[in-house]
Amino acid sequence: MPYSAVRERAATDSSAVAGSGRLAAGGPASRVTRTLDLAVLAGLALFAAWTAAYLLALAGAIPAAWAFWGWVALVPVVVIAVRRSLAPTLAASPVAGPWVPLAVSALLAGLAAVIVRPDLDDASYVVRTTWIAAHGDVRVGDVIFSGGQWPGLPAQTPYLPSIEALLGWVSRVTGLSVGDVAYVLLPPLATAGAVWALWMLLRAWRVRRPAVGLLLATLFIVLGGATHASWGNLHLARMWQGKVLFLAIVVPLLYAACAWLWAARAGRERRAAIAVVGLASVAAVGLTPAAVFVVPGVVLAGSVPGALRRRWADVGLLLAIGAGPALAAGVVMLVAGGTGRGGFVPNAAGEDPWEKVLGTGLPAVVALAAAVVVVAGCLLPERWATCAPGARWTALAAVAAGLLIAVPALYDLAGTVMGTDAIAWRLTWIVPVPALVALLGGVPGLVKGGVVAVGAAAALLVGGLPLWSPLNGATVAAPGTWELPAGPLAAARWAAAEASGERVLAPVDVIAALGVVQPDARPVSSRGEYLEVYADRPGAQVATRLLLQRLVEGGTDPADLARAPEALTTLDVGVVCHRTGLVELATVLEGQGMEVGYTGTDDLVCRVRAA
């Protein structure tokens, strides 16, 4: 079908946003919308500026303190520049009533403040934040075992993400604990921003009935607890992690900026849209290594409307500005860093990426139905047009990318290129699944659209699992609670007070919490994949460490138990925390003169070496 047959509608065409409610340009609701749009873009620009400053410090060009305080001094400059430079492109985007997205933002921010869903990735990421908060230096390698004396993990060297350093410096200069900054303050604020970023995308795509679409997308997110890697668990349930901020905020803004580019009528609007794409790409590098392969895929899908119009100069500029920073980061990691030595996570051969992120229940069926509607919208534009033509082709390109990912041979090839298939499933992030689900709310026709929207909502309500469900490994706690299990956190605090520079042996969940509360903790081990990469390092004693970790995690191998006394002495272990049911290990520890000093919840006891 020729693209001219489905040419982009004018921004002033009210049918492009049917059912959304056009607002007076100078009305209060319009001003609220534009103010929040600019606030989100200002946050994006500020983080991109911080990432640039951080990379200078990481390269040794400036001290870390100069990077942070210089960035602070630039905050008002960046905010003013965003208001003056990016407002034109926002002016071309439709304005819909802000009250539904504001209510959804408040609701999800509130949920982010009370849902506690611990994640063991914090044993690496938040531990780094704690170390930087205490020491200030961002040019540090391993902060888990050696206090920066060993190189960093291969797949994290050089450590290009800047989010942990920013949170660490905020903690350092404010006096707030890292746990309060990362677990209490950030998630509600970032969750509200993520909801508004999705709202900006729905408006940029000129989705019919965008408020209905946003509500469907919200159901898809908050009822996404059935799989660990769902769009819900990688949203408000874990909004303190860089990769989650990237997926929930930056990816929607990238797609929105691409739509602004193709809808722009003036050169100034086009330049502003390209600027947002560039800022989003730089910010993505500062959030996660996954940006290296996700961002190019997003901008490639977002360039399809321009390619169909044969606007090759704009397409080339979009790809260069959008994919350039991410690809450059990949080159740096491959050439100058340790990525070429292999990943630090085990391969996950044979997994289905879409089953991993969607599961096999009704939410997966809803996502599949959204993909069908996208395809139908391009083949039958008059009957199934849920959004503007350019958005339909972008969505179709994203769906096509998702289909390619589902081909086993291509997925295996992607894992080979990336060095490990354990993170290849993140290629699914190229597909903006919540936005596609929102398109189900825009099917034209009162009866047809109502049936589709109600059916999708019913499927999600019946087949979804709330993020706060214990089956999702989550609990609901009072605002201000850290995103760590209460029992291990209490044990970690006791161990941090008692260790006095001695090594601590404990289950991984306790060790993860220990690294958050004590920047100079000396754990025997942590997650096995973190330690195993140092097996060839002289003096690392990795085999001895892993032996003790196996025992404290519940192992009962007689050979390990027989060697445990010597291992405890060799590693100078001063504090041991373990579950009460480990009778054989308790006997060994008592024989070494280690006395119980703490008894807490989760059946945890901690022992300290007798004076």
Side-chain angles (χ1 to χ4, degrees):
M1 176 183 299
Y3 182 71
S4 58
V6 286
R7 209 172 311 170
E8 187 79 64
R9 293 179 180 131
T12 56
D13 183 359
S14 60
S15 65
V17 284
S20 65
R22 301 288 294 177
L23 300 178
S30 176
R31 289 195 294 270
V32 168
T33 298
R34 295 307 185 207
T35 298
L36 292 176
D37 287 351
L38 286 171
V40 170
L41 293 183
L44 179 73
L46 286 171
F47 185 73
W50 161 252
T51 298
Y54 165 84
L55 292 177
L56 287 175
L58 190 67
I62 57 175
W66 289 19
F68 179 78
W69 290 113
W71 173 75
V72 170
L74 285 175
V75 167
V77 177
V78 172
V79 171
I80 292 172
V82 166
R83 188 176 185 280
R84 291 181 176 178
S85 302
L86 302 185
T89 194
L90 292 177
S93 181
V95 177
W99 314 123
V100 169
L102 278 175
V104 173
S105 297
L107 174 63
L108 266 61
L111 287 175
V114 299
I115 292 176
V116 176
R117 189 183 184 278
D119 186 80
L120 283 182
D121 283 352
D122 292 356
S124 171
Y125 300 126
V126 183
V127 168
R128 183 179 181 85
T129 297
T130 301
W131 197 93
I132 291 175
H135 300 280
D137 186 11
V138 302
R139 303 187 71 193
V140 63
D142 163 62
V143 297
I144 303 175
F145 308 110
S146 66
Q149 299 304 306
W150 296 353
L153 296 171
Q156 296 181 349
T157 303
Y159 201 93
L160 299 183
S162 64
I163 182 65
E164 288 81 16
L166 178 59
L167 298 179
W169 267 94
V170 170
S171 171
R172 182 178 178 85
V173 302
T174 62
L176 296 170
S177 67
V178 165
D180 286 339
V181 172
Y183 293 141
V184 178
L185 298 179
L186 179 60
L189 181 63
T191 297
V195 172
W196 198 263
L198 178 57
W199 180 243
M200 293 171 73
L201 171 57
L202 299 184
R203 287 162 39 223
W205 277 4
R206 294 174 170 81
V207 174
R208 294 178 184 271
R209 296 187 291 276
V212 176
L214 180 65
L215 292 175
L216 283 177
T218 300
L219 282 178
F220 178 77
I221 288 170
V222 300
L223 298 176
T227 60
H228 176 72
S230 71
W231 268 263
N233 276 323
L234 295 175
H235 197 275
L236 63 101
R238 288 165 62 187
M239 195 59 88
W240 65 91
Q241 295 179 345
K243 58 179 174 284
V244 179
L245 295 167
F246 166 71
L247 178 60
I249 299 176
V250 175
V251 169
L253 289 179
L254 267 172
Y255 273 113
C258 291
W260 293 335
L261 173 63
W262 309 125
R265 294 181 173 182
R268 188 180 180 190
E269 293 175 7
R270 287 195 296 272
R271 289 191 295 272
I274 286 291
V276 175
V277 170
L279 291 172
S281 185
V282 173
V285 172
L287 290 172
T288 174
V292 171
F293 48 88
V294 175
V295 171
V298 170
V299 295
L300 190 61
S303 70
V304 168
L308 292 172
R309 293 181 178 184
R310 295 180 176 82
R311 290 173 54 178
W312 301 117
D314 285 337
V315 168
L317 185 62
L318 173 63
L319 294 177
I321 298 298
L327 293 177
V331 170
V332 169
M333 293 178 66
L334 183 63
V335 175
T339 307
R341 292 184 279 133
F344 66 93
V345 288
N347 285 347
E351 71 176 2
D352 183 332
W354 285 108
E355 183 176 339
K356 184 179 181 70
V357 299
L358 291 176
T360 56
L362 288 178
V365 175
V366 172
L368 179 61
V372 171
V373 167
V374 167
V375 174
C378 291
L379 298 179
L380 308 168
E382 297 305 320
R383 292 184 55 192
W384 292 96
T386 58
C387 56
R392 290 178 233 162
W393 293 106
T394 296
L396 182 63
V399 169
L403 291 175
L404 291 176
I405 295 167
V407 177
L410 296 179
Y411 181 68
D412 292 343
L413 177 62
T416 301
V417 172
M418 295 160 64
T420 173
D421 61 7
I423 59 172
W425 61 269
R426 295 181 188 175
L427 285 166
T428 60
W429 295 356
I430 295 171
V431 188
V433 175
L436 301 188
V437 170
L439 295 181
L440 293 173
V443 174
L446 182 61
V447 176
K448 181 171 59 178
V451 169
V452 171
V454 171
L460 292 171
L461 289 169
V462 171
L465 182 70
L467 295 179
W468 53 87
S469 170
L471 296 176
N472 189 37
T475 57
V476 177
T481 303
W482 289 11
E483 299 282 348
L484 294 167
L489 176 58
R493 284 173 167 156
W494 183 89
E498 292 292 325
S500 301
E502 295 175 309
R503 281 202 174 94
V504 178
L505 172 64
V508 173
D509 53 359
V510 177
I511 291 300
L514 178 65
V516 175
V517 301
Q518 172 55 263
D520 297 309
R522 298 182 64 209
V524 168
S525 184
S526 181
R527 302 180 79 176
E529 56 266 27
Y530 294 169
L531 182 60
E532 289 167 358
V533 299
Y534 298 110
D536 296 331
R537 187 164 188 82
Q541 299 173 308
V542 169
T544 304
R545 291 171 182 260
L546 292 176
L547 180 152
L548 290 178
Q549 195 66 33
R550 287 194 298 271
L551 292 175
V552 83
E553 297 289 355
T556 58
D557 188 325
D560 286 349
L561 289 167
R563 295 171 56 195
E566 179 185 358
L568 291 166
T569 301
T570 299
L571 293 174
D572 190 27
V573 177
V575 174
V576 179
C577 296
H578 63 87
R579 260 76 192 192
T580 55
L582 301 182
V583 178
E584 296 93 339
L585 177 60
T587 301
V588 171
L589 296 174
E590 290 169 0
Q592 292 298 108
M594 302 199 76
E595 303 173 345
V596 174
Y598 169 85
T599 302
T601 58
D602 284 8
D603 294 325
L604 278 167
V605 296
C606 294
R607 300 172 182 267
V608 63
R609 186 165 48 197

